[in-house]
Amino acid sequence: MYAEGSAYPLRNLWDAAVRHYSIKLTCRVCGHVRILHGVGLWWLYERRGWPDGFAEVTRRSVCIPCRSERRRVVRNPAFELVHEEITGEPLPLPSVSEWKKALARHR
């Protein structure tokens, strides 16, 4: 997956967060769409120590409406990188100092 106008591939949440992408997840059963802030989602995975590859994101993601209404766990939503506004409750973002430490660590 490549960013528009870039020769460098997007491999994980870190790459998406640094390039200011949001993550769009669409349930394959009910069609529910959730757009998450790239930095917020990366920070969630970073704090929990989870691998942040795109395949890992779809593997861990669960459709909440399907789970609450149909009592069925639906995983592996359709995954897209977008430049759109987030939907739903925003994820917490890292502090400025944590973000700067992460930028320095990945250079």
Side-chain angles (χ1 to χ4, degrees):
M1 191 176 296
Y2 286 86
E4 295 174 18
S6 176
Y8 300 104
L10 296 170
R11 297 169 304 215
N12 52 34
L13 288 175
W14 171 254
D15 292 339
V18 168
R19 291 182 179 98
H20 308 287
Y21 278 95
S22 295
I23 288 63
K24 182 177 183 178
L25 302 172
T26 306
C27 178
R28 297 180 192 273
V29 175
C30 71
H32 177 254
V33 175
R34 177 79 194 267
I35 300 174
L36 301 161
H37 195 283
V39 176
L41 191 58
W42 165 79
W43 183 235
L44 173 70
Y45 277 65
E46 181 73 14
R47 284 181 301 151
R48 297 201 177 175
W50 295 341
D52 68 345
F54 294 144
E56 186 70 15
V57 173
T58 59
R59 188 182 76 76
R60 288 189 182 272
S61 299
V62 175
C63 178
I64 299 301
C66 283
R67 189 170 123 197
S68 62
E69 294 168 11
R70 294 181 175 90
R71 306 225 187 262
R72 179 175 167 201
V73 176
V74 178
R75 294 185 187 276
N76 296 321
F79 178 92
E80 278 183 79
L81 295 174
V82 295
H83 289 294
E84 297 177 20
E85 291 296 316
I86 63 169
T87 59
E89 187 70 27
L91 294 171
L93 299 174
S95 66
V96 173
S97 62
E98 288 293 332
W99 180 246
K100 287 183 178 182
K101 283 180 195 175
L103 284 172
R105 193 171 54 240
H106 283 89
R107 288 186 187 183

PDB file of all heavy atoms in Angstrom, residues 50-86:
ATOM      1  N   TRP A  50       0.783  -4.275  21.207  1.00  0.00           N
ATOM      2  CA  TRP A  50       0.331  -5.110  20.092  1.00  0.00           C
ATOM      3  C   TRP A  50       1.111  -4.768  18.835  1.00  0.00           C
ATOM      4  O   TRP A  50       1.480  -3.616  18.629  1.00  0.00           O
ATOM      5  CB  TRP A  50      -1.153  -4.866  19.814  1.00  0.00           C
ATOM      6  CG  TRP A  50      -2.086  -5.275  20.891  1.00  0.00           C
ATOM      7  CD1 TRP A  50      -1.843  -6.136  21.912  1.00  0.00           C
ATOM      8  CD2 TRP A  50      -3.435  -4.833  21.062  1.00  0.00           C
ATOM      9  NE1 TRP A  50      -2.965  -6.261  22.712  1.00  0.00           N
ATOM     10  CE2 TRP A  50      -3.953  -5.472  22.202  1.00  0.00           C
ATOM     11  CE3 TRP A  50      -4.246  -3.966  20.359  1.00  0.00           C
ATOM     12  CZ2 TRP A  50      -5.236  -5.274  22.658  1.00  0.00           C
ATOM     13  CZ3 TRP A  50      -5.541  -3.757  20.801  1.00  0.00           C
ATOM     14  CH2 TRP A  50      -6.022  -4.411  21.941  1.00  0.00           C
ATOM     15  N   PRO A  51       1.334  -5.742  17.953  1.00  0.00           N
ATOM     16  CA  PRO A  51       1.946  -5.426  16.656  1.00  0.00           C
ATOM     17  C   PRO A  51       1.010  -4.502  15.875  1.00  0.00           C
ATOM     18  O   PRO A  51      -0.213  -4.652  15.931  1.00  0.00           O
ATOM     19  CB  PRO A  51       2.057  -6.781  15.954  1.00  0.00           C
ATOM     20  CG  PRO A  51       1.711  -7.811  16.960  1.00  0.00           C
ATOM     21  CD  PRO A  51       1.046  -7.154  18.117  1.00  0.00           C
ATOM     22  N   ASP A  52       1.582  -3.532  15.148  1.00  0.00           N
ATOM     23  CA  ASP A  52       0.736  -2.538  14.500  1.00  0.00           C
ATOM     24  C   ASP A  52       0.649  -2.673  12.981  1.00  0.00           C
ATOM     25  O   ASP A  52       0.375  -1.712  12.283  1.00  0.00           O
ATOM     26  CB  ASP A  52       1.170  -1.124  14.885  1.00  0.00           C
ATOM     27  CG  ASP A  52       2.530  -0.741  14.335  1.00  0.00           C
ATOM     28  OD1 ASP A  52       3.278  -1.626  13.902  1.00  0.00           O
ATOM     29  OD2 ASP A  52       2.844   0.462  14.339  1.00  0.00           O
ATOM     30  N   GLY A  53       0.815  -3.885  12.472  1.00  0.00           N
ATOM     31  CA  GLY A  53       0.625  -4.121  11.045  1.00  0.00           C
ATOM     32  C   GLY A  53      -0.849  -4.034  10.679  1.00  0.00           C
ATOM     33  O   GLY A  53      -1.728  -4.251  11.515  1.00  0.00           O
ATOM     34  N   PHE A  54      -1.119  -3.698   9.435  1.00  0.00           N
ATOM     35  CA  PHE A  54      -2.513  -3.545   9.010  1.00  0.00           C
ATOM     36  C   PHE A  54      -3.301  -4.849   9.151  1.00  0.00           C
ATOM     37  O   PHE A  54      -4.481  -4.830   9.489  1.00  0.00           O
ATOM     38  CB  PHE A  54      -2.577  -3.047   7.564  1.00  0.00           C
ATOM     39  CG  PHE A  54      -2.032  -1.654   7.393  1.00  0.00           C
ATOM     40  CD1 PHE A  54      -1.333  -1.316   6.249  1.00  0.00           C
ATOM     41  CD2 PHE A  54      -2.218  -0.679   8.354  1.00  0.00           C
ATOM     42  CE1 PHE A  54      -0.836  -0.041   6.070  1.00  0.00           C
ATOM     43  CE2 PHE A  54      -1.721   0.602   8.199  1.00  0.00           C
ATOM     44  CZ  PHE A  54      -1.024   0.922   7.041  1.00  0.00           C
ATOM     45  N   ALA A  55      -2.668  -5.991   8.909  1.00  0.00           N
ATOM     46  CA  ALA A  55      -3.356  -7.274   9.063  1.00  0.00           C
ATOM     47  C   ALA A  55      -3.759  -7.498  10.519  1.00  0.00           C
ATOM     48  O   ALA A  55      -4.823  -8.051  10.803  1.00  0.00           O
ATOM     49  CB  ALA A  55      -2.467  -8.410   8.571  1.00  0.00           C
ATOM     50  N   GLU A  56      -2.922  -7.056  11.430  1.00  0.00           N
ATOM     51  CA  GLU A  56      -3.221  -7.199  12.860  1.00  0.00           C
ATOM     52  C   GLU A  56      -4.409  -6.323  13.259  1.00  0.00           C
ATOM     53  O   GLU A  56      -5.230  -6.712  14.088  1.00  0.00           O
ATOM     54  CB  GLU A  56      -1.987  -6.825  13.687  1.00  0.00           C
ATOM     55  CG  GLU A  56      -2.132  -7.060  15.156  1.00  0.00           C
ATOM     56  CD  GLU A  56      -2.178  -8.529  15.539  1.00  0.00           C
ATOM     57  OE1 GLU A  56      -1.822  -9.389  14.736  1.00  0.00           O
ATOM     58  OE2 GLU A  56      -2.597  -8.802  16.675  1.00  0.00           O
ATOM     59  N   VAL A  57      -4.514  -5.152  12.653  1.00  0.00           N
ATOM     60  CA  VAL A  57      -5.628  -4.247  12.953  1.00  0.00           C
ATOM     61  C   VAL A  57      -6.951  -4.904  12.564  1.00  0.00           C
ATOM     62  O   VAL A  57      -7.907  -4.916  13.343  1.00  0.00           O
ATOM     63  CB  VAL A  57      -5.461  -2.896  12.233  1.00  0.00           C
ATOM     64  CG1 VAL A  57      -6.691  -2.027  12.414  1.00  0.00           C
ATOM     65  CG2 VAL A  57      -4.231  -2.171  12.753  1.00  0.00           C
ATOM     66  N   THR A  58      -7.034  -5.465  11.370  1.00  0.00           N
ATOM     67  CA  THR A  58      -8.286  -6.097  10.949  1.00  0.00           C
ATOM     68  C   THR A  58      -8.574  -7.350  11.767  1.00  0.00           C
ATOM     69  O   THR A  58      -9.729  -7.652  12.035  1.00  0.00           O
ATOM     70  CB  THR A  58      -8.266  -6.436   9.442  1.00  0.00           C
ATOM     71  OG1 THR A  58      -7.181  -7.304   9.171  1.00  0.00           O
ATOM     72  CG2 THR A  58      -8.162  -5.190   8.612  1.00  0.00           C
ATOM     73  N   ARG A  59      -7.525  -8.056  12.188  1.00  0.00           N
ATOM     74  CA  ARG A  59      -7.723  -9.261  12.985  1.00  0.00           C
ATOM     75  C   ARG A  59      -8.310  -8.943  14.357  1.00  0.00           C
ATOM     76  O   ARG A  59      -9.168  -9.658  14.865  1.00  0.00           O
ATOM     77  CB  ARG A  59      -6.395 -10.001  13.161  1.00  0.00           C
ATOM     78  CG  ARG A  59      -6.532 -11.362  13.813  1.00  0.00           C
ATOM     79  CD  ARG A  59      -5.188 -12.030  14.007  1.00  0.00           C
ATOM     80  NE  ARG A  59      -4.425 -11.477  15.109  1.00  0.00           N
ATOM     81  CZ  ARG A  59      -4.673 -11.713  16.396  1.00  0.00           C
ATOM     82  NH1 ARG A  59      -5.691 -12.465  16.743  1.00  0.00           N
ATOM     83  NH2 ARG A  59      -3.923 -11.178  17.328  1.00  0.00           N
ATOM     84  N   ARG A  60      -7.905  -7.827  14.942  1.00  0.00           N
ATOM     85  CA  ARG A  60      -8.370  -7.459  16.288  1.00  0.00           C
ATOM     86  C   ARG A  60      -9.673  -6.664  16.297  1.00  0.00           C
ATOM     87  O   ARG A  60     -10.314  -6.545  17.331  1.00  0.00           O
ATOM     88  CB  ARG A  60      -7.296  -6.630  16.995  1.00  0.00           C
ATOM     89  CG  ARG A  60      -6.109  -7.436  17.412  1.00  0.00           C
ATOM     90  CD  ARG A  60      -5.198  -6.606  18.285  1.00  0.00           C
ATOM     91  NE  ARG A  60      -4.017  -7.337  18.660  1.00  0.00           N
ATOM     92  CZ  ARG A  60      -3.936  -8.125  19.722  1.00  0.00           C
ATOM     93  NH1 ARG A  60      -4.965  -8.268  20.506  1.00  0.00           N
ATOM     94  NH2 ARG A  60      -2.816  -8.760  19.988  1.00  0.00           N
ATOM     95  N   SER A  61     -10.049  -6.082  15.165  1.00  0.00           N
ATOM     96  CA  SER A  61     -11.231  -5.211  15.121  1.00  0.00           C
ATOM     97  C   SER A  61     -12.524  -6.015  15.127  1.00  0.00           C
ATOM     98  O   SER A  61     -12.644  -7.014  14.438  1.00  0.00           O
ATOM     99  CB  SER A  61     -11.185  -4.334  13.869  1.00  0.00           C
ATOM    100  OG  SER A  61     -10.048  -3.519  13.904  1.00  0.00           O
ATOM    101  N   VAL A  62     -13.500  -5.548  15.917  1.00  0.00           N
ATOM    102  CA  VAL A  62     -14.801  -6.204  16.062  1.00  0.00           C
ATOM    103  C   VAL A  62     -15.892  -5.177  15.794  1.00  0.00           C
ATOM    104  O   VAL A  62     -15.806  -4.037  16.247  1.00  0.00           O
ATOM    105  CB  VAL A  62     -14.963  -6.778  17.489  1.00  0.00           C
ATOM    106  CG1 VAL A  62     -16.346  -7.346  17.696  1.00  0.00           C
ATOM    107  CG2 VAL A  62     -13.910  -7.822  17.773  1.00  0.00           C
ATOM    108  N   CYS A  63     -16.930  -5.572  15.072  1.00  0.00           N
ATOM    109  CA  CYS A  63     -18.069  -4.683  14.810  1.00  0.00           C
ATOM    110  C   CYS A  63     -18.942  -4.635  16.068  1.00  0.00           C
ATOM    111  O   CYS A  63     -19.522  -5.648  16.476  1.00  0.00           O
ATOM    112  CB  CYS A  63     -18.862  -5.185  13.605  1.00  0.00           C
ATOM    113  SG  CYS A  63     -20.308  -4.156  13.258  1.00  0.00           S
ATOM    114  N   ILE A  64     -19.039  -3.462  16.673  1.00  0.00           N
ATOM    115  CA  ILE A  64     -19.806  -3.300  17.909  1.00  0.00           C
ATOM    116  C   ILE A  64     -21.309  -3.456  17.678  1.00  0.00           C
ATOM    117  O   ILE A  64     -21.990  -4.138  18.459  1.00  0.00           O
ATOM    118  CB  ILE A  64     -19.472  -1.952  18.579  1.00  0.00           C
ATOM    119  CG1 ILE A  64     -17.985  -1.898  18.936  1.00  0.00           C
ATOM    120  CG2 ILE A  64     -20.336  -1.711  19.802  1.00  0.00           C
ATOM    121  CD1 ILE A  64     -17.510  -2.988  19.871  1.00  0.00           C
ATOM    122  N   PRO A  65     -21.898  -2.865  16.612  1.00  0.00           N
ATOM    123  CA  PRO A  65     -23.343  -3.077  16.394  1.00  0.00           C
ATOM    124  C   PRO A  65     -23.698  -4.558  16.198  1.00  0.00           C
ATOM    125  O   PRO A  65     -24.715  -5.019  16.727  1.00  0.00           O
ATOM    126  CB  PRO A  65     -23.647  -2.264  15.133  1.00  0.00           C
ATOM    127  CG  PRO A  65     -22.618  -1.198  15.118  1.00  0.00           C
ATOM    128  CD  PRO A  65     -21.384  -1.846  15.680  1.00  0.00           C
ATOM    129  N   CYS A  66     -22.893  -5.296  15.459  1.00  0.00           N
ATOM    130  CA  CYS A  66     -23.170  -6.733  15.268  1.00  0.00           C
ATOM    131  C   CYS A  66     -23.067  -7.472  16.599  1.00  0.00           C
ATOM    132  O   CYS A  66     -23.860  -8.370  16.883  1.00  0.00           O
ATOM    133  CB  CYS A  66     -22.201  -7.349  14.256  1.00  0.00           C
ATOM    134  SG  CYS A  66     -22.585  -6.965  12.543  1.00  0.00           S
ATOM    135  N   ARG A  67     -22.082  -7.071  17.409  1.00  0.00           N
ATOM    136  CA  ARG A  67     -21.878  -7.747  18.687  1.00  0.00           C
ATOM    137  C   ARG A  67     -23.016  -7.463  19.662  1.00  0.00           C
ATOM    138  O   ARG A  67     -23.485  -8.363  20.357  1.00  0.00           O
ATOM    139  CB  ARG A  67     -20.545  -7.303  19.285  1.00  0.00           C
ATOM    140  CG  ARG A  67     -20.151  -8.100  20.492  1.00  0.00           C
ATOM    141  CD  ARG A  67     -18.737  -7.769  20.861  1.00  0.00           C
ATOM    142  NE  ARG A  67     -18.720  -7.305  22.229  1.00  0.00           N
ATOM    143  CZ  ARG A  67     -17.744  -6.638  22.777  1.00  0.00           C
ATOM    144  NH1 ARG A  67     -16.697  -6.318  22.083  1.00  0.00           N
ATOM    145  NH2 ARG A  67     -17.813  -6.278  24.014  1.00  0.00           N
ATOM    146  N   SER A  68     -23.501  -6.224  19.691  1.00  0.00           N
ATOM    147  CA  SER A  68     -24.544  -5.892  20.662  1.00  0.00           C
ATOM    148  C   SER A  68     -25.947  -6.271  20.176  1.00  0.00           C
ATOM    149  O   SER A  68     -26.764  -6.723  20.963  1.00  0.00           O
ATOM    150  CB  SER A  68     -24.492  -4.408  21.008  1.00  0.00           C
ATOM    151  OG  SER A  68     -24.732  -3.630  19.865  1.00  0.00           O
ATOM    152  N   GLU A  69     -26.234  -6.095  18.896  1.00  0.00           N
ATOM    153  CA  GLU A  69     -27.587  -6.364  18.395  1.00  0.00           C
ATOM    154  C   GLU A  69     -27.787  -7.821  17.969  1.00  0.00           C
ATOM    155  O   GLU A  69     -28.819  -8.410  18.228  1.00  0.00           O
ATOM    156  CB  GLU A  69     -27.896  -5.438  17.218  1.00  0.00           C
ATOM    157  CG  GLU A  69     -27.965  -3.992  17.617  1.00  0.00           C
ATOM    158  CD  GLU A  69     -27.985  -3.051  16.430  1.00  0.00           C
ATOM    159  OE1 GLU A  69     -28.160  -3.528  15.285  1.00  0.00           O
ATOM    160  OE2 GLU A  69     -27.825  -1.840  16.652  1.00  0.00           O
ATOM    161  N   ARG A  70     -26.793  -8.378  17.290  1.00  0.00           N
ATOM    162  CA  ARG A  70     -26.933  -9.743  16.765  1.00  0.00           C
ATOM    163  C   ARG A  70     -26.288 -10.799  17.662  1.00  0.00           C
ATOM    164  O   ARG A  70     -26.369 -11.987  17.384  1.00  0.00           O
ATOM    165  CB  ARG A  70     -26.310  -9.823  15.376  1.00  0.00           C
ATOM    166  CG  ARG A  70     -27.030  -8.993  14.344  1.00  0.00           C
ATOM    167  CD  ARG A  70     -26.361  -9.149  12.980  1.00  0.00           C
ATOM    168  NE  ARG A  70     -27.096  -8.450  11.955  1.00  0.00           N
ATOM    169  CZ  ARG A  70     -26.889  -7.194  11.601  1.00  0.00           C
ATOM    170  NH1 ARG A  70     -25.958  -6.487  12.211  1.00  0.00           N
ATOM    171  NH2 ARG A  70     -27.602  -6.640  10.643  1.00  0.00           N
ATOM    172  N   ARG A  71     -25.586 -10.336  18.686  1.00  0.00           N
ATOM    173  CA  ARG A  71     -24.865 -11.233  19.597  1.00  0.00           C
ATOM    174  C   ARG A  71     -23.915 -12.142  18.815  1.00  0.00           C
ATOM    175  O   ARG A  71     -23.833 -13.338  19.049  1.00  0.00           O
ATOM    176  CB  ARG A  71     -25.822 -12.060  20.436  1.00  0.00           C
ATOM    177  CG  ARG A  71     -26.826 -11.225  21.183  1.00  0.00           C
ATOM    178  CD  ARG A  71     -26.946 -11.694  22.607  1.00  0.00           C
ATOM    179  NE  ARG A  71     -28.026 -11.000  23.261  1.00  0.00           N
ATOM    180  CZ  ARG A  71     -27.820  -9.928  24.034  1.00  0.00           C
ATOM    181  NH1 ARG A  71     -26.641  -9.455  24.181  1.00  0.00           N
ATOM    182  NH2 ARG A  71     -28.833  -9.341  24.620  1.00  0.00           N
ATOM    183  N   ARG A  72     -23.225 -11.509  17.866  1.00  0.00           N
ATOM    184  CA  ARG A  72     -22.313 -12.240  16.991  1.00  0.00           C
ATOM    185  C   ARG A  72     -21.030 -11.419  16.853  1.00  0.00           C
ATOM    186  O   ARG A  72     -21.079 -10.215  16.594  1.00  0.00           O
ATOM    187  CB  ARG A  72     -22.976 -12.401  15.630  1.00  0.00           C
ATOM    188  CG  ARG A  72     -22.178 -13.109  14.617  1.00  0.00           C
ATOM    189  CD  ARG A  72     -23.005 -13.304  13.361  1.00  0.00           C
ATOM    190  NE  ARG A  72     -22.134 -13.719  12.293  1.00  0.00           N
ATOM    191  CZ  ARG A  72     -22.398 -13.602  11.030  1.00  0.00           C
ATOM    192  NH1 ARG A  72     -23.544 -13.065  10.649  1.00  0.00           N
ATOM    193  NH2 ARG A  72     -21.556 -14.003  10.127  1.00  0.00           N
ATOM    194  N   VAL A  73     -19.874 -12.055  17.027  1.00  0.00           N
ATOM    195  CA  VAL A  73     -18.599 -11.368  16.884  1.00  0.00           C
ATOM    196  C   VAL A  73     -18.182 -11.434  15.425  1.00  0.00           C
ATOM    197  O   VAL A  73     -17.961 -12.508  14.881  1.00  0.00           O
ATOM    198  CB  VAL A  73     -17.525 -12.008  17.793  1.00  0.00           C
ATOM    199  CG1 VAL A  73     -16.178 -11.349  17.557  1.00  0.00           C
ATOM    200  CG2 VAL A  73     -17.923 -11.883  19.247  1.00  0.00           C
ATOM    201  N   VAL A  74     -18.108 -10.259  14.796  1.00  0.00           N
ATOM    202  CA  VAL A  74     -17.712 -10.172  13.398  1.00  0.00           C
ATOM    203  C   VAL A  74     -16.366  -9.463  13.329  1.00  0.00           C
ATOM    204  O   VAL A  74     -16.235  -8.319  13.735  1.00  0.00           O
ATOM    205  CB  VAL A  74     -18.760  -9.399  12.562  1.00  0.00           C
ATOM    206  CG1 VAL A  74     -18.311  -9.270  11.118  1.00  0.00           C
ATOM    207  CG2 VAL A  74     -20.104 -10.090  12.647  1.00  0.00           C
ATOM    208  N   ARG A  75     -15.356 -10.173  12.813  1.00  0.00           N
ATOM    209  CA  ARG A  75     -14.003  -9.617  12.689  1.00  0.00           C
ATOM    210  C   ARG A  75     -13.661  -9.396  11.218  1.00  0.00           C
ATOM    211  O   ARG A  75     -14.448  -9.672  10.347  1.00  0.00           O
ATOM    212  CB  ARG A  75     -12.980 -10.564  13.312  1.00  0.00           C
ATOM    213  CG  ARG A  75     -13.141 -10.713  14.803  1.00  0.00           C
ATOM    214  CD  ARG A  75     -12.019 -11.555  15.384  1.00  0.00           C
ATOM    215  NE  ARG A  75     -12.250 -11.838  16.776  1.00  0.00           N
ATOM    216  CZ  ARG A  75     -11.930 -11.041  17.781  1.00  0.00           C
ATOM    217  NH1 ARG A  75     -11.361  -9.891  17.542  1.00  0.00           N
ATOM    218  NH2 ARG A  75     -12.179 -11.370  19.025  1.00  0.00           N
ATOM    219  N   ASN A  76     -12.459  -8.935  10.981  1.00  0.00           N
ATOM    220  CA  ASN A  76     -11.907  -8.702   9.642  1.00  0.00           C
ATOM    221  C   ASN A  76     -12.742  -7.745   8.806  1.00  0.00           C
ATOM    222  O   ASN A  76     -13.229  -8.093   7.732  1.00  0.00           O
ATOM    223  CB  ASN A  76     -11.711 -10.028   8.897  1.00  0.00           C
ATOM    224  CG  ASN A  76     -10.703 -10.902   9.583  1.00  0.00           C
ATOM    225  OD1 ASN A  76      -9.699 -10.409  10.071  1.00  0.00           O
ATOM    226  ND2 ASN A  76     -10.979 -12.185   9.631  1.00  0.00           N
ATOM    227  N   PRO A  77     -12.884  -6.499   9.270  1.00  0.00           N
ATOM    228  CA  PRO A  77     -13.612  -5.512   8.462  1.00  0.00           C
ATOM    229  C   PRO A  77     -12.787  -5.098   7.247  1.00  0.00           C
ATOM    230  O   PRO A  77     -11.574  -5.334   7.196  1.00  0.00           O
ATOM    231  CB  PRO A  77     -13.766  -4.334   9.426  1.00  0.00           C
ATOM    232  CG  PRO A  77     -12.574  -4.448  10.322  1.00  0.00           C
ATOM    233  CD  PRO A  77     -12.352  -5.921  10.502  1.00  0.00           C
ATOM    234  N   ALA A  78     -13.443  -4.492   6.279  1.00  0.00           N
ATOM    235  CA  ALA A  78     -12.727  -3.909   5.150  1.00  0.00           C
ATOM    236  C   ALA A  78     -11.898  -2.744   5.687  1.00  0.00           C
ATOM    237  O   ALA A  78     -12.360  -1.977   6.525  1.00  0.00           O
ATOM    238  CB  ALA A  78     -13.708  -3.442   4.096  1.00  0.00           C
ATOM    239  N   PHE A  79     -10.680  -2.620   5.219  1.00  0.00           N
ATOM    240  CA  PHE A  79      -9.718  -1.652   5.747  1.00  0.00           C
ATOM    241  C   PHE A  79      -9.332  -0.678   4.640  1.00  0.00           C
ATOM    242  O   PHE A  79      -8.997  -1.097   3.535  1.00  0.00           O
ATOM    243  CB  PHE A  79      -8.482  -2.435   6.220  1.00  0.00           C
ATOM    244  CG  PHE A  79      -7.384  -1.572   6.747  1.00  0.00           C
ATOM    245  CD1 PHE A  79      -7.311  -1.280   8.090  1.00  0.00           C
ATOM    246  CD2 PHE A  79      -6.405  -1.062   5.900  1.00  0.00           C
ATOM    247  CE1 PHE A  79      -6.293  -0.495   8.580  1.00  0.00           C
ATOM    248  CE2 PHE A  79      -5.387  -0.283   6.381  1.00  0.00           C
ATOM    249  CZ  PHE A  79      -5.319   0.007   7.723  1.00  0.00           C
ATOM    250  N   GLU A  80      -9.390   0.622   4.952  1.00  0.00           N
ATOM    251  CA  GLU A  80      -8.973   1.660   4.000  1.00  0.00           C
ATOM    252  C   GLU A  80      -8.234   2.761   4.739  1.00  0.00           C
ATOM    253  O   GLU A  80      -8.553   3.068   5.885  1.00  0.00           O
ATOM    254  CB  GLU A  80     -10.187   2.315   3.349  1.00  0.00           C
ATOM    255  CG  GLU A  80     -10.814   1.613   2.205  1.00  0.00           C
ATOM    256  CD  GLU A  80     -11.945   2.455   1.650  1.00  0.00           C
ATOM    257  OE1 GLU A  80     -11.650   3.420   0.909  1.00  0.00           O
ATOM    258  OE2 GLU A  80     -13.097   2.156   1.993  1.00  0.00           O
ATOM    259  N   LEU A  81      -7.269   3.363   4.064  1.00  0.00           N
ATOM    260  CA  LEU A  81      -6.619   4.563   4.573  1.00  0.00           C
ATOM    261  C   LEU A  81      -7.259   5.750   3.875  1.00  0.00           C
ATOM    262  O   LEU A  81      -7.332   5.782   2.644  1.00  0.00           O
ATOM    263  CB  LEU A  81      -5.120   4.525   4.276  1.00  0.00           C
ATOM    264  CG  LEU A  81      -4.349   3.430   4.981  1.00  0.00           C
ATOM    265  CD1 LEU A  81      -2.910   3.408   4.499  1.00  0.00           C
ATOM    266  CD2 LEU A  81      -4.399   3.604   6.481  1.00  0.00           C
ATOM    267  N   VAL A  82      -7.751   6.708   4.655  1.00  0.00           N
ATOM    268  CA  VAL A  82      -8.494   7.837   4.098  1.00  0.00           C
ATOM    269  C   VAL A  82      -8.066   9.146   4.766  1.00  0.00           C
ATOM    270  O   VAL A  82      -7.426   9.139   5.818  1.00  0.00           O
ATOM    271  CB  VAL A  82     -10.020   7.649   4.284  1.00  0.00           C
ATOM    272  CG1 VAL A  82     -10.528   6.466   3.495  1.00  0.00           C
ATOM    273  CG2 VAL A  82     -10.386   7.515   5.751  1.00  0.00           C
ATOM    274  N   HIS A  83      -8.430  10.242   4.142  1.00  0.00           N
ATOM    275  CA  HIS A  83      -8.272  11.579   4.726  1.00  0.00           C
ATOM    276  C   HIS A  83      -9.674  12.116   4.982  1.00  0.00           C
ATOM    277  O   HIS A  83     -10.148  13.009   4.298  1.00  0.00           O
ATOM    278  CB  HIS A  83      -7.516  12.506   3.777  1.00  0.00           C
ATOM    279  CG  HIS A  83      -6.069  12.187   3.644  1.00  0.00           C
ATOM    280  ND1 HIS A  83      -5.172  12.321   4.676  1.00  0.00           N
ATOM    281  CD2 HIS A  83      -5.355  11.720   2.605  1.00  0.00           C
ATOM    282  CE1 HIS A  83      -3.982  11.973   4.274  1.00  0.00           C
ATOM    283  NE2 HIS A  83      -4.061  11.595   3.012  1.00  0.00           N
ATOM    284  N   GLU A  84     -10.366  11.529   5.959  1.00  0.00           N
ATOM    285  CA  GLU A  84     -11.734  11.921   6.298  1.00  0.00           C
ATOM    286  C   GLU A  84     -11.818  12.181   7.796  1.00  0.00           C
ATOM    287  O   GLU A  84     -10.949  11.762   8.560  1.00  0.00           O
ATOM    288  CB  GLU A  84     -12.727  10.824   5.901  1.00  0.00           C
ATOM    289  CG  GLU A  84     -12.790  10.550   4.416  1.00  0.00           C
ATOM    290  CD  GLU A  84     -13.733   9.407   4.076  1.00  0.00           C
ATOM    291  OE1 GLU A  84     -14.607   9.069   4.909  1.00  0.00           O
ATOM    292  OE2 GLU A  84     -13.594   8.853   2.977  1.00  0.00           O
ATOM    293  N   GLU A  85     -12.881  12.858   8.207  1.00  0.00           N
ATOM    294  CA  GLU A  85     -13.112  13.135   9.620  1.00  0.00           C
ATOM    295  C   GLU A  85     -13.446  11.843  10.361  1.00  0.00           C
ATOM    296  O   GLU A  85     -14.096  10.951   9.811  1.00  0.00           O
ATOM    297  CB  GLU A  85     -14.268  14.121   9.785  1.00  0.00           C
ATOM    298  CG  GLU A  85     -13.949  15.510   9.298  1.00  0.00           C
ATOM    299  CD  GLU A  85     -12.833  16.168  10.099  1.00  0.00           C
ATOM    300  OE1 GLU A  85     -12.842  16.070  11.344  1.00  0.00           O
ATOM    301  OE2 GLU A  85     -11.958  16.774   9.469  1.00  0.00           O
ATOM    302  N   ILE A  86     -13.026  11.769  11.626  1.00  0.00           N
ATOM    303  CA  ILE A  86     -13.306  10.576  12.415  1.00  0.00           C
ATOM    304  C   ILE A  86     -14.788  10.513  12.769  1.00  0.00           C
ATOM    305  O   ILE A  86     -15.470  11.532  12.804  1.00  0.00           O
ATOM    306  CB  ILE A  86     -12.431  10.504  13.687  1.00  0.00           C
ATOM    307  CG1 ILE A  86     -12.725  11.676  14.622  1.00  0.00           C
ATOM    308  CG2 ILE A  86     -10.970  10.489  13.319  1.00  0.00           C
ATOM    309  CD1 ILE A  86     -12.107  11.536  15.981  1.00  0.00           C
TER     310      ILE A  86
END
